[in-house]
Amino acid sequence: MEVFKSITKTSSPFFVVCILLLFANAASEKTHYHDFVIQAEPVKRLCNIHNTITVNGQFPGPTLEVNNGDTLVVNVVNRAQYNVTIHWHGVRQIRTGWADGPEFITQCPIRPGKSYTYRFTIQGQEGTLWWHAHSSWLRATVYGALIIHPKAGESYPFPNPKRETPVLLGEWWNANPIDVVRQATRTGAAPNVSDAYTMNGQPGDLYKCSSQDTTIIHVDSGETNLLRVINAGLNQQLFFTVANHKLTVIGADTNYVKPFTTSVLMVGPGQTTDVLIKADQPPARYYMAARAYASAQGAPFDNTTTTAILEYKSSCSSNCANTNPVFPSLPAYNDTATATAFTTKFRSPRKAQVPTEIDENLFVTVGLGLENCPSGASSSSCQGPNGTRFAASMNNVSFVLPSNFSLLQAHHQGIRGVFSTDFPANPPLKFNYTGNVTRSLWQPIRGTRLYKLTYGARVQVVLQGTGIFTAENHPIHLHGYDFYIIAEGFGNFNQKTDTAKFNLVDPPLRNTASVPVNGWTVIRFVADNPGVWLMHCHLDVHITWGLAMAFLVENGVSELESLEAPPEDFPVC
């Protein structure tokens, strides 16, 4: 207090105001402490009780709410039989890569009976994110919403909604999801598709034994509400709509966008979309519904539909609860035109700070492939097409996770032999990426290859989809960064003609981009966050097969441009 009195006596009024604002901001920023206990609990879905891995006995797990600038301290205790990590999807993790969470990338897993405390600060982000397990297929049931409100005293750039509701879209297997992926790994075949989709953990009343527990979201006539839509599903992009209601998109992946109105969303796994919905229809019950956008021709998928109910509460007569909800119109499963019309509407609300000069220019093919059956292997382990094993790759490198160290630990401690830094900036061969690809190009090379970036490098990545085996839409997620999506299109990216499509004025800022089926997407970002950052397809079946790579971003010159030291309780392999 004496120091403050001295400052006020000797300083200008402007300086005093600045100091007061600094103290006020510091006082408004809070630290939130949570305990996550990971353990199996009985969960009843689709007529049966399943022993399900949950957080604090909840499925989905708890919703965390913070303000921009707040710090989260989450102690994770693993009482399950599996290794586990938690990823805070979309959190920038500035200098705190040790808290990012992907198994064997930034940390070794939390072993059964052990614990680890994640500590990180939200910096400059507002909107909807989520957290999920990043170990095997545990995120099928281990996930929850992470809501970031504006700083205390600040407001949304739109009128405050009457209510805010997270809508978590998920996938449910009647089998243990870990067993599903382990069987696929043993056989080399595709894993079984899910048995249901869910909204806030419930399949909805179109599924057997589910109508009584269908999620109901109440509204009052005339009010405007905020829906925070999160696709927490493992392997499927989803169309989402509300019967007879328009949705005004105002944000995605904790970035505000130029508002636009639509009747349907297409949300890829990992993506979040914030929408305003006005209760302007006759008082009744209306279905909210989601089902697959399945772009891979001929590939099996879960063709069921999950529902929740939007119910006009105060204006609804006493017998309203007994009436059938109004059912919406949903796009066809393969409606790429609707998916594209939606994804290309996103714009930043003002002129964006897009890098215009590029230091690192990468061209990265993404897609599936097939591995030849290893010499001496039994036919039971090669049950993919024509006696092969499914694989996936970026630039023909099928990513292999290390097992003795995490990549970040190996980088920080200078441990040799864990990874190399020779991930190719271009595909090893040029070919007609989206055409009929010759069988000789279907076999990827396995490896743990990283791409090194100097601190502050301005990076452009062309993500080129391929027709190897089958083409489909890939949701590509980059850890540790948001990036500008400056263009997308179909066919093979053409450097000479497609650069004219680049939006360098107001492109959207995202953390997960949908690469169109038989098409391409171009992203840009500045490498201003040191560490090792995974870039991967958020279809978990694809990352299981190796559709991933990682950037190694070196420290800058100052302490504030350098990775923090690992915490004392950092898990060891």
Side-chain angles (χ1 to χ4, degrees), residues 298-431:
F301 67 95
D302 179 351
N303 64 358
T304 61
T305 301
T306 181
T307 56
I309 297 172
L310 188 77
E311 183 175 289
Y312 282 63
K313 187 179 180 183
S314 62
S315 302
C316 203
S317 60
S318 58
N319 65 351
C320 178
N322 299 319
T323 61
N324 290 327
V326 179
F327 201 84
S329 174
L330 280 159
Y333 297 116
N334 63 349
D335 191 345
T336 292
T338 293
T340 303
F342 176 73
T343 60
T344 53
K345 284 182 181 176
F346 285 83
R347 296 286 185 273
S348 288
R350 60 190 63 86
K351 183 171 173 57
Q353 296 180 321
V354 190
T356 53
E357 300 294 326
I358 298 300
D359 303 305
E360 299 278 358
N361 202 335
L362 286 79
F363 187 100
V364 179
T365 55
V366 298
L368 306 185
L370 298 172
E371 288 183 321
N372 295 328
C373 196
S375 177
S378 67
S379 59
S380 64
S381 64
C382 300
Q383 296 182 31
N386 301 315
T388 61
R389 293 177 59 85
F390 273 109
S393 65
M394 289 186 167
N395 277 354
N396 209 46
V397 179
S398 188
F399 189 76
V400 178
L401 286 173
S403 57
N404 295 325
F405 301 95
S406 71
L407 295 177
L408 186 60
Q409 180 186 9
H411 163 58
H412 185 69
Q413 297 179 0
I415 301 170
R416 297 179 178 274
V418 179
F419 64 85
S420 62
T421 55
D422 58 348
F423 179 84
N426 293 281
L429 290 173
K430 291 183 178 181
F431 57 97

Side-chain angles (χ1 to χ4, degrees), residues 137 178-192 380-381 383-384 389-390 541 544-545:
W137 275 22
I178 301 296
D179 292 341
V180 172
V181 68
R182 284 179 174 175
Q183 180 185 18
T185 301
R186 282 194 304 268
T187 64
N192 293 335
S380 64
S381 64
Q383 296 182 31
R389 293 177 59 85
F390 273 109
V541 61
T544 300
W545 290 336

Side-chain angles (χ1 to χ4, degrees), residues 1-16:
M1 184 60 70
E2 292 300 322
V3 172
F4 179 70
K5 288 179 180 177
S6 174
I7 289 174
T8 57
K9 287 178 181 178
T10 59
S11 304
S12 70
F14 176 77
F15 182 75
V16 171

Side-chain angles (χ1 to χ4, degrees), residues 76 99 115 149 172 240 291 355 389 409 419 447 476 484 520 522:
V76 177
S115 65
H149 298 287
W172 175 265
F240 171 86
R291 74 177 185 189
R389 293 177 59 85
Q409 180 186 9
F419 64 85
I476 301 296
Y484 290 104
W520 50 267
V522 183

